[in-house]
Amino acid sequence: TYTDNNLEALTEYCYAITSVRNGNESAESVEVCATTMDVPPVLFTTMTVNVETDNDADVTGALVSFVNMTEPEMGYDYEVTLDETGTFTWNEFRKGTYELTITLAGYISDYINEEVVVNEATVINSILQKILPPTNLVATALSEYSISLSWNAAAGAESYNVYRGTELIGNVTTTTFVDDDLTPYTNYCYTVTSVAGNVETEHSAQACATTPDLPVVVPTGLTAEALSHTTIGLSWTVAANAMSYNIYRD
């Protein structure tokens, strides 16, 4: 037997052999040929992710997840929770197509189930954007019993929580809200937060409004009756919304 080494891949080589004895060599044998195999494919490479925030905050706890779409049954999924460096490298990363998700509580990510094709050493850089509370909150009294709120939309917000004082009174997907069943002539203060998934931002600046008082109605049915030589009694019909009455004598 003999092994011929250091050949070229996918190349045909042909051989014949002779016998040798005491300096005598026979004729060549029948020629045989064989083709070398192809170079085995490289199935793995390196993958590096670098994550930071737009406000230079610590990214500890950011979750990076690669879900293999090419060979889902093979278990070549990758996941890591980042430390304060925001960087991680896999030195044995299976080539293929993945869905990449990068998340950190309170931040908007540019990678949520994003398709990523990995065929060579790859570096992925991601800047997470902090979710901010709404701005320009305005409170306006609509009636003795209601106040309307409006605000500017916040990037990344999926909905908004509305607070009267410290009480959560509503969640809306629009940038307006009407608070009903209020008490006339009362001051109310509000804040709004942005909500994305299970993340809620800090509160917006506070906005306040006072509901107007109920209208004062002139009493009717006023009568005067002398009760004695020193006393006169007055009576009238109860006036709607009146809390008390002032009495005048000419």
Side-chain angles (χ1 to χ4, degrees), residues 42 48 78 87 91 122 141 144 172 181 183 200 213 226 230 235 244:
V42 177
T48 298
Y78 301 86
T87 296
N91 292 315
T122 303
E144 297 89 347
V172 294
D181 298 325
T183 300
E200 182 179 15
D213 202 358
T230 60
S235 64
S244 65

Side-chain angles (χ1 to χ4, degrees), residues 68 70-77 94:
N68 191 301
T70 305
E71 304 169 289
E73 73 286 352
M74 298 299 292
Y76 289 114
D77 296 337
R94 184 79 166 186

Side-chain angles (χ1 to χ4, degrees), residues 16-160:
I17 61 172
T18 63
S19 299
V20 179
R21 178 181 174 84
N22 294 326
N24 297 314
E25 184 178 10
S26 71
E28 290 186 358
S29 68
V30 175
E31 184 179 74
V32 294
C33 299
T35 300
T36 51
M37 298 177 183
D38 196 2
V39 176
V42 177
L43 300 179
F44 292 86
T45 185
T46 61
M47 166 62 72
T48 298
V49 290
N50 299 311
V51 179
E52 57 184 298
T53 63
D54 63 350
N55 61 344
D56 296 324
D58 189 348
V59 298
T60 297
L63 181 65
V64 180
S65 173
F66 288 89
V67 177
N68 191 301
M69 308 303 292
T70 305
E71 304 169 289
E73 73 286 352
M74 298 299 292
Y76 289 114
D77 296 337
Y78 301 86
E79 185 174 287
V80 67
T81 300
L82 298 178
D83 60 17
E84 69 279 1
T85 66
T87 296
F88 190 85
T89 297
W90 287 272
N91 292 315
E92 290 286 331
F93 195 97
R94 184 79 166 186
K95 293 181 178 180
T97 300
Y98 291 83
E99 281 189 351
L100 169 60
T101 297
I102 301 175
T103 57
L104 179 63
Y107 289 84
I108 305 165
S109 174
D110 46 359
Y111 287 99
I112 300 293
N113 296 328
E114 282 292 316
E115 183 176 297
V116 175
V117 178
V118 181
N119 288 324
E120 59 186 1
T122 303
V123 177
I124 290 177
N125 299 306
S126 175
I127 299 177
L128 303 176
Q129 180 183 351
K130 184 173 176 59
I131 301 173
L132 299 175
T135 57
N136 196 31
L137 175 62
V138 176
T140 305
L142 295 179
S143 71
E144 297 89 347
Y145 303 101
S146 63
I147 291 175
S148 72
L149 303 173
S150 64
W151 57 88
N152 292 343
E158 297 172 359
S159 64
Y160 301 94

